[in-house]
PDB file of all heavy atoms in Angstrom:
ATOM      1  N   SER M 185      62.742  54.046 -19.402  1.00  0.00           N
ATOM      2  CA  SER M 185      63.497  54.732 -20.496  1.00  0.00           C
ATOM      3  C   SER M 185      63.941  53.787 -21.582  1.00  0.00           C
ATOM      4  O   SER M 185      63.666  54.043 -22.824  1.00  0.00           O
ATOM      5  CB  SER M 185      64.797  55.345 -19.943  1.00  0.00           C
ATOM      6  OG  SER M 185      65.575  55.967 -20.899  1.00  0.00           O
ATOM      7  N   TRP M 186      64.403  52.620 -21.267  1.00  0.00           N
ATOM      8  CA  TRP M 186      64.717  51.671 -22.328  1.00  0.00           C
ATOM      9  C   TRP M 186      63.494  51.327 -23.108  1.00  0.00           C
ATOM     10  O   TRP M 186      63.531  51.162 -24.363  1.00  0.00           O
ATOM     11  CB  TRP M 186      65.310  50.377 -21.665  1.00  0.00           C
ATOM     12  CG  TRP M 186      65.703  49.362 -22.667  1.00  0.00           C
ATOM     13  CD1 TRP M 186      66.862  49.208 -23.376  1.00  0.00           C
ATOM     14  CD2 TRP M 186      64.788  48.309 -23.276  1.00  0.00           C
ATOM     15  NE1 TRP M 186      66.833  48.160 -24.305  1.00  0.00           N
ATOM     16  CE2 TRP M 186      65.585  47.618 -24.133  1.00  0.00           C
ATOM     17  CE3 TRP M 186      63.496  47.886 -22.898  1.00  0.00           C
ATOM     18  CZ2 TRP M 186      65.106  46.473 -24.973  1.00  0.00           C
ATOM     19  CZ3 TRP M 186      63.008  46.793 -23.627  1.00  0.00           C
ATOM     20  CH2 TRP M 186      63.747  46.081 -24.605  1.00  0.00           C
ATOM     21  N   GLY M 187      62.408  51.063 -22.493  1.00  0.00           N
ATOM     22  CA  GLY M 187      61.125  50.669 -23.061  1.00  0.00           C
ATOM     23  C   GLY M 187      60.665  51.715 -24.084  1.00  0.00           C
ATOM     24  O   GLY M 187      60.154  51.467 -25.092  1.00  0.00           O
ATOM     25  N   ALA M 188      60.690  53.058 -23.614  1.00  0.00           N
ATOM     26  CA  ALA M 188      60.244  54.169 -24.385  1.00  0.00           C
ATOM     27  C   ALA M 188      61.159  54.242 -25.686  1.00  0.00           C
ATOM     28  O   ALA M 188      60.572  54.360 -26.746  1.00  0.00           O
ATOM     29  CB  ALA M 188      60.361  55.402 -23.628  1.00  0.00           C
ATOM     30  N   ASN M 189      62.398  53.966 -25.544  1.00  0.00           N
ATOM     31  CA  ASN M 189      63.250  54.084 -26.779  1.00  0.00           C
ATOM     32  C   ASN M 189      63.120  52.948 -27.681  1.00  0.00           C
ATOM     33  O   ASN M 189      63.125  53.086 -28.891  1.00  0.00           O
ATOM     34  CB  ASN M 189      64.714  54.248 -26.313  1.00  0.00           C
ATOM     35  CG  ASN M 189      65.055  55.715 -25.948  1.00  0.00           C
ATOM     36  OD1 ASN M 189      65.156  56.535 -26.835  1.00  0.00           O
ATOM     37  ND2 ASN M 189      65.176  55.974 -24.676  1.00  0.00           N
ATOM     38  N   PHE M 190      62.869  51.748 -27.079  1.00  0.00           N
ATOM     39  CA  PHE M 190      62.590  50.585 -27.829  1.00  0.00           C
ATOM     40  C   PHE M 190      61.358  50.750 -28.767  1.00  0.00           C
ATOM     41  O   PHE M 190      61.264  50.443 -29.903  1.00  0.00           O
ATOM     42  CB  PHE M 190      62.516  49.336 -27.055  1.00  0.00           C
ATOM     43  CG  PHE M 190      62.151  48.096 -27.701  1.00  0.00           C
ATOM     44  CD1 PHE M 190      62.972  47.381 -28.553  1.00  0.00           C
ATOM     45  CD2 PHE M 190      60.758  47.723 -27.721  1.00  0.00           C
ATOM     46  CE1 PHE M 190      62.670  46.195 -29.209  1.00  0.00           C
ATOM     47  CE2 PHE M 190      60.358  46.533 -28.396  1.00  0.00           C
ATOM     48  CZ  PHE M 190      61.336  45.769 -29.184  1.00  0.00           C
ATOM     49  N   LEU M 191      60.242  51.155 -28.063  1.00  0.00           N
ATOM     50  CA  LEU M 191      59.090  51.501 -28.857  1.00  0.00           C
ATOM     51  C   LEU M 191      59.058  52.478 -29.857  1.00  0.00           C
ATOM     52  O   LEU M 191      58.598  52.307 -30.968  1.00  0.00           O
ATOM     53  CB  LEU M 191      57.869  51.812 -27.855  1.00  0.00           C
ATOM     54  CG  LEU M 191      57.435  50.614 -26.918  1.00  0.00           C
ATOM     55  CD1 LEU M 191      56.441  51.250 -25.890  1.00  0.00           C
ATOM     56  CD2 LEU M 191      56.764  49.550 -27.780  1.00  0.00           C
ATOM     57  N   THR M 192      59.860  53.589 -29.573  1.00  0.00           N
ATOM     58  CA  THR M 192      60.006  54.680 -30.588  1.00  0.00           C
ATOM     59  C   THR M 192      60.783  54.120 -31.853  1.00  0.00           C
ATOM     60  O   THR M 192      60.344  54.419 -32.877  1.00  0.00           O
ATOM     61  CB  THR M 192      60.881  55.745 -29.973  1.00  0.00           C
ATOM     62  OG1 THR M 192      60.155  56.289 -28.760  1.00  0.00           O
ATOM     63  CG2 THR M 192      61.199  56.857 -30.894  1.00  0.00           C
ATOM     64  N   HIS M 193      61.820  53.319 -31.510  1.00  0.00           N
ATOM     65  CA  HIS M 193      62.452  52.719 -32.733  1.00  0.00           C
ATOM     66  C   HIS M 193      61.616  51.771 -33.484  1.00  0.00           C
ATOM     67  O   HIS M 193      61.660  51.707 -34.701  1.00  0.00           O
ATOM     68  CB  HIS M 193      63.818  52.079 -32.217  1.00  0.00           C
ATOM     69  CG  HIS M 193      64.672  51.426 -33.422  1.00  0.00           C
ATOM     70  ND1 HIS M 193      65.378  52.348 -34.291  1.00  0.00           N
ATOM     71  CD2 HIS M 193      64.810  50.341 -33.733  1.00  0.00           C
ATOM     72  CE1 HIS M 193      65.947  51.514 -35.099  1.00  0.00           C
ATOM     73  NE2 HIS M 193      65.560  50.214 -34.891  1.00  0.00           N
ATOM     74  N   LEU M 194      60.939  50.906 -32.749  1.00  0.00           N
ATOM     75  CA  LEU M 194      60.124  49.899 -33.301  1.00  0.00           C
ATOM     76  C   LEU M 194      58.978  50.415 -34.096  1.00  0.00           C
ATOM     77  O   LEU M 194      58.690  49.985 -35.201  1.00  0.00           O
ATOM     78  CB  LEU M 194      59.516  48.923 -32.323  1.00  0.00           C
ATOM     79  CG  LEU M 194      58.559  47.850 -32.688  1.00  0.00           C
ATOM     80  CD1 LEU M 194      59.456  46.733 -33.554  1.00  0.00           C
ATOM     81  CD2 LEU M 194      58.029  47.060 -31.467  1.00  0.00           C
ATOM     82  N   ILE M 195      58.302  51.431 -33.523  1.00  0.00           N
ATOM     83  CA  ILE M 195      56.986  51.925 -34.173  1.00  0.00           C
ATOM     84  C   ILE M 195      57.426  53.034 -35.205  1.00  0.00           C
ATOM     85  O   ILE M 195      56.771  53.056 -36.282  1.00  0.00           O
ATOM     86  CB  ILE M 195      55.984  52.436 -33.107  1.00  0.00           C
ATOM     87  CG1 ILE M 195      55.565  51.387 -32.204  1.00  0.00           C
ATOM     88  CG2 ILE M 195      54.902  53.084 -33.609  1.00  0.00           C
ATOM     89  CD1 ILE M 195      54.838  51.693 -30.997  1.00  0.00           C
TER      90      ILE M 195
END
Side-chain angles (χ1 to χ4, degrees):
S185 177
W186 180 87
N189 280 286
F190 174 77
L191 287 175
T192 297
H193 182 73
L194 179 68
I195 296 173

